Amino acid sequence: MNNLSQKRILLGVCGGIAAYKSAELVRRLRADGARVRVVMTAAASEFITARTFQALTGEPVLSDWSDDRTGMDHIELARWADRILIAPATADSLARLAHGRADDLLAAVCLASEAPLMVAPAMNQAMWRHAATRDNVELLRRRGVQICGPADGEQACGEVGPGRMLEPQALLQALSDAFCSARLAGLKVVVTAGPTREPIDPVRFLSNRSSGKMGYAIARAAREAGASVELVSGPVLLDVPPGVQRVRVESGQEMLEAVLERITDCDLFIATAAVADYRPAKPAQQKIKKPVADTSLQLEPVTDILATVAALDHRPFCVGFAAETEQLEQHAQKKRLRKGVELIAANRVGNGRGFESDDNELLLVWEGGTCWLPKDSKARLAHQLIEKVASLYPQRSNKQISSEYHAKHSA
Ligand code: PMT
């Protein structure tokens, strides 16, 4: 599976003979669809030019503070990255990272970034074995930095031992693996996404602004967490995420049928689609011609897919969304109980929020807890949502939620 597609990789290049291999790594990352930005140290420019990386990435390369034109470029870059890899990472760069230095651009970006950090050490074998380097590596490891390598073998200096940077293919694999958390390994997940179209006549329909971005990001994140994922999608203009099976539907009724066909052996159902609540009761068989005597449209309810799945005897763990313009938490809580689902992800919609945009913010509501996921890309929010779902699954395959609701609301 190519799970590097569209991933934002920040590659730090330090001054070592292995820097030439980083160019090949960038080429392979780009071939796999990753977006790559490069930050070089001053010492790296002694081994390879910024122009090489600029040509390979199609992006400007930052080497020192004078490249930080706005004074905030390094912060932007720190926020942009999904993951940072420093390859080659010299003994000096490991020491600087371990001690939180921020006096060169690469160290400052690493310090300012919340993205996971990976380093691929490359140095003379004696430097690698030195107690100071061992301590620095241990400190970084304890902080969650992933140490990739080094490999053993003949070194540029003629010595033999550990200190060779891993080959580009091995680093590519390490990056790819790093995006797979295995939190949902072995589970089958069904995700709905996008809008539905409810026909008025053969050429007109009722629909909404959903672009499918949120649902597709969730399908992708679930796949990257190791699940087998089926995506039931309304009409959108998005590519199928790698490794995900997609079925296209148009109307809410078609979406319901496609979901029910796939739900029997499903472990987790995530309803992200903006399904119409009502549809024209009597869609015309032929195009409606002007003038029409009666301009009103009679509507009938569309079956609630999420509530239907949640009411099944052998039901999966259910996650719903709530699109709200006000009172986010109150509406989300009510929706969770009314639909009988384990978790609701509520988002504010309208005025450019929620629908269509690349960013979102979510309030997660489950029994006994809430969690606010502040504004971020839909891709990152999807990963955070999947992490939360993985931590709650399986707490209860409830039937109790709807009785809780009826108990509260019939009183
Ligand atoms: O697609 P994007 O442009 O990225 O926008 C994302 C989004 C705003 C569409 C998404 O984040 C979102 O909020 N999706 C749910 C939209 C919605 O229909 O919300 P709702 O509050 O009306 O529905 C509550 C839940 O019931 C949802 O999980 C919905 O999928 C489900 N539902 C609703 C009606 C119906 N007939 N069947 C359902 O399954």
Side-chain angles (χ1 to χ4, degrees), residues 229-253:
V229 181
E230 297 204 54
L231 175 60
V232 181
S233 172
V236 298
L237 298 169
L238 300 176
D239 292 334
V240 190
V244 168
Q245 300 289 326
R246 176 174 68 176
V247 54
R248 285 173 176 280
V249 296
E250 288 243 334
S251 67
Q253 181 59 29

Side-chain angles (χ1 to χ4, degrees), residues 210-212 214 271-273 303 305-306 321 335 339 347 356 378:
S210 173
S211 63
M214 190 74 244
T272 320
T303 308
I305 302 169
L306 178 58
F321 267 72
K335 228 165 237 183
K339 302 213 178 204
N347 44 194
E356 293 176 306
K378 284 179 175 170

